[in-house]
Amino acid sequence: MNIDKFTTKFQSAIADAQSLAIGKDNPYIEPVHLMLALLKQNDGSIAPLVTALNVPVAKLTSELESMINRLPQVQGGNNTQPSQQLIRLLNQCDKLSQQFGDNFISSELFVLAALDDNGDLGKLFKQLGLTKEKVTAAIQNI
């Protein structure tokens, strides 16, 4: 995975997710950290995408925060690193980028990658009625 292939906004969200995990004393940066960071970005593309999919941003934000609050915590640890699940999703983003013929990996691809995953974020998206087809169509319309 080459971080230079991520768009500037996506790189910024990854840094914000790391900061969020550190602030919550989580030993790993999980996909839910990154999704929350993407939702909270100023001028980001994910909040408008979620809105276009008829998912209330406030509800999704609340669900993500609840999920983060249930994650394990380590006091005094300052070695926060990406979880295996997050690395898997970021690699899936790279694969999707190549399939679409994109030179860069955008934030929207993270949402698509999560829909292919059976982790907590993928399950949440499915509970909210999101599908790959709906997300792909919404991305094309935004």
Side-chain angles (χ1 to χ4, degrees):
M1 169 179 51
N2 181 357
I3 193 92
D4 294 332
K5 288 183 71 176
F6 294 114
T7 63
T8 305
K9 280 287 198 187
F10 200 25
Q11 289 180 29
S12 176
I14 292 169
D16 291 344
Q18 180 181 18
S19 180
L20 178 60
I22 290 169
K24 294 286 189 175
D25 292 320
N26 301 133
Y28 296 102
I29 307 162
E30 298 289 349
V32 291
H33 291 112
L34 182 51
M35 187 63 203
L36 185 58
L38 287 166
L39 270 178
K40 290 185 171 187
Q41 270 187 329
N42 291 334
D43 299 326
S45 60
I46 299 303
L49 174 64
V50 168
T51 301
L53 292 164
N54 296 318
V55 175
V57 173
K59 176 181 172 63
L60 181 54
T61 299
S62 175
E63 291 288 334
L64 292 168
E65 288 172 344
S66 292
M67 293 168 78
I68 289 169
N69 287 335
R70 291 191 300 268
L71 291 173
Q73 295 179 319
V74 176
Q75 299 298 322
N78 57 0
N79 191 20
T80 302
Q81 57 188 322
S83 69
Q84 288 299 313
Q85 187 176 16
L86 180 59
I87 291 170
R88 191 172 42 253
L89 283 178
L90 294 175
N91 286 334
Q92 180 65 19
C93 290
D94 192 356
K95 185 176 180 179
L96 289 170
S97 171
Q98 293 175 38
Q99 289 173 354
F100 291 132
D102 294 337
N103 292 326
F104 293 97
I105 301 169
S106 66
S107 303
E108 296 86 359
L109 292 180
F110 182 72
V111 177
L112 284 175
L115 284 166
D116 278 340
D117 192 67
N118 289 329
D120 292 339
L121 185 58
K123 290 175 184 174
L124 174 61
F125 283 170
K126 290 169 188 143
Q127 288 172 358
L128 295 171
L130 300 182
T131 64
K132 238 181 148 168
E133 294 76 22
K134 287 179 184 178
V135 172
T136 302
I139 289 170
Q140 292 171 348
N141 289 331
I142 289 181

